[in-house]
Amino acid sequence: MSTNDAALPTADRAAETLTLPSWQAELRAAVRDPAELERLLELPAGALGVPAGTGFPLLAPRGFVARMRKGDPNDPLLRQIWPAAEELTPAEGFSADPVREQGLAAHGLIQKYAGRVLLIASGTCPLHCRYCFRREFPYQAQLAARADWEPAIAALRGVADVKEAILSGGDPLSLSNRRLGELLARLADTAVTTVRIHTRFPIAIPARVDDGLIRVLRGTRLKTVLVVHTNHANELDTSVERALAAVRPALTALLNQSVLLRGINDDAETLAALSERLFACGALPYYLHLLDRVAGAAHYDVDEARGEELIAALRARLPGYLVPRLVREIPGELSKTLLA
Ligand code: SF4
């Protein structure tokens, strides 16, 4: 997770912004300064505590920040992106590679599950989610985009019975439409029948759903599944709703995955509101993940028993298609482990 331009001086960023597609301009203009974030949210300086200085800096697009409640240090969107001091407290069982995938990656391709391969399409994200299990992933060494995707595609051709390519990252929609189109064309020239794109872009920067992206998705022979990542209904404002409505006709399926996060969405009412809001936006809740135990994220952890209790509460109040599957990733297992 990084932004390629994070090191650019502000003035340079502003000048280049003039020629960029609007979503790239929004990414460049994202909030990176903790003190500025406090000011934008009308919080007193220092109200959120001393930010943790880590190699995974604050990154929050201004449109996402605008959905946060002003003056509320416990806002559920703010808590997903604020680098809290607790990140620096070591916790037993939390590590840099919680799902032990770093050793599995080769040419930006990871094969964990039968019939599917995962491509690390990009190391760039539209925002930095503090609980992200790939916050310490070595993107520079593991990018499928190298050499025009050639080594990754060659490795994919060597995988038996592969039907689905899962584009992950980072965020695959940080690729330009041209690069994404090239990748889909390469994949369409293999035995793959479905491409699944895991992305937070339509939520963080809805302008990413532009005409060019829709053309790319419509133009492939592959079945296309878009899995967005939303944890709280407040993330889904009208700009996101419009973006999802625009992209949906170009897809085979539009799904959502969430992470169960302490103090953010670990109550039945919040999760039910999320499912209902997703449905209103045309997306179905797919997975609710228990946290992958990445170092720095222990303060978000919710235990399995509470997760199961929440799913039971959702079943009692929602139709089955609005109840996500509670899953945990266990290193070495051939699929996610279904808990409820
Ligand atoms: S959860 Fe997704 S968007 Fe957020 S930091 Fe991780 S890879 Fe990036």
Side-chain angles (χ1 to χ4, degrees):
M1 270 71 23
S2 64
T3 49
N4 297 333
D5 59 307
L8 274 181
T10 308
D12 290 355
R13 279 209 290 269
E16 289 194 18
T17 290
L18 296 174
T19 57
L20 290 170
S22 68
W23 65 269
Q24 289 184 9
E26 275 190 57
L27 182 55
R28 292 206 170 200
V31 179
R32 293 175 167 79
D33 174 10
E36 185 190 6
L37 183 59
E38 285 181 329
R39 280 197 301 280
L40 289 170
L41 294 176
E42 298 174 7
L43 288 163
L48 298 172
V50 179
T54 68
F56 186 53
L58 171 72
L59 179 71
R62 284 166 200 275
F64 191 81
V65 172
R67 291 171 233 157
M68 298 174 186
R69 292 187 293 257
K70 294 213 167 29
D72 182 357
N74 292 315
D75 176 86
L77 277 56
L78 171 61
R79 292 196 58 183
Q80 294 180 47
I81 55 92
W82 177 257
E86 290 109 299
E87 290 188 18
L88 300 177
T89 309
E92 200 181 323
F94 287 73
S95 67
D97 184 14
V99 300
R100 279 187 252 139
E101 65 176 10
Q102 292 178 15
L104 300 177
H107 309 297
L109 191 125
I110 300 176
Q111 204 208 349
K112 291 195 272 193
Y113 308 139
R116 289 154 281 169
V117 291
L118 194 143
L119 263 92
I120 302 293
S122 164
T124 300
C125 291
L127 78 175
H128 284 174
C129 314
R130 308 309 305 176
Y131 52 83
C132 178
F133 75 100
R134 292 218 181 100
R135 55 182 286 172
E136 302 207 28
F137 191 84
Y139 286 106
Q140 287 318 312
Q142 286 297 345
L143 273 185
R146 277 176 208 291
D148 272 342
W149 312 104
E150 192 49 52
I153 296 291
L156 181 148
R157 287 184 198 280
V159 176
D161 300 327
V162 63
K163 298 269 187 319
E164 183 175 23
I166 303 169
L167 307 190
S168 186
D171 194 312
L173 292 191
S174 61
L175 297 172
S176 68
N177 293 328
R178 182 182 60 77
R179 290 288 283 156
L180 185 67
E182 285 167 3
L183 174 56
L184 296 195
R186 301 299 308 268
L187 291 171
D189 197 29
T190 68
V192 163
T193 56
T194 301
V195 63
R196 189 196 320 171
I197 302 175
H198 282 211
T199 178
R200 200 134 159 67
F201 252 105
I203 311 303
I205 304 183
R208 178 64 190 92
V209 179
D210 56 14
D211 293 346
L213 176 63
I214 291 168
R215 271 197 300 276
V216 166
L217 294 170
R218 281 192 191 283
T220 177
R221 73 154 178 89
L222 302 168
K223 297 210 179 311
T224 49
V225 181
L226 197 73
V227 183
V228 295
H229 170 177
T230 320
N231 301 312
H232 194 284
N234 291 3
E235 294 172 53
L236 298 166
D237 71 353
T238 51
S239 66
V240 177
E241 187 172 0
R242 277 196 298 271
L244 296 179
V247 75
R248 194 167 163 235
L251 302 169
T252 310
L254 174 58
L255 307 171
N256 181 72
Q257 60 176 346
S258 307
V259 182
L260 186 57
L261 298 165
R262 194 199 306 168
I264 293 172
N265 61 8
D266 59 338
D267 65 275
E269 198 165 319
T270 300
L271 289 173
L274 172 60
S275 281
E276 284 169 342
R277 182 71 187 125
L278 283 165
F279 187 59
C281 293
L284 287 175
Y286 169 45
Y287 277 149
L288 177 63
H289 290 264
L290 287 185
L291 185 80
D292 292 317
R293 293 191 167 132
V294 67
H299 54 296
Y300 292 112
D301 198 26
V302 177
D303 67 33
E304 199 172 308
R306 176 67 182 146
E308 288 167 354
E309 209 174 275
L310 287 167
I311 293 293
L314 291 182
R315 284 212 183 96
R317 61 199 288 177
L318 293 173
Y321 57 86
L322 291 188
V323 179
R325 282 166 256 188
L326 181 71
V327 290
R328 180 188 283 293
E329 174 112 8
I330 298 177
E333 295 290 320
L334 287 178
S335 63
K336 291 186 194 300
T337 301
L338 185 62
L339 302 170

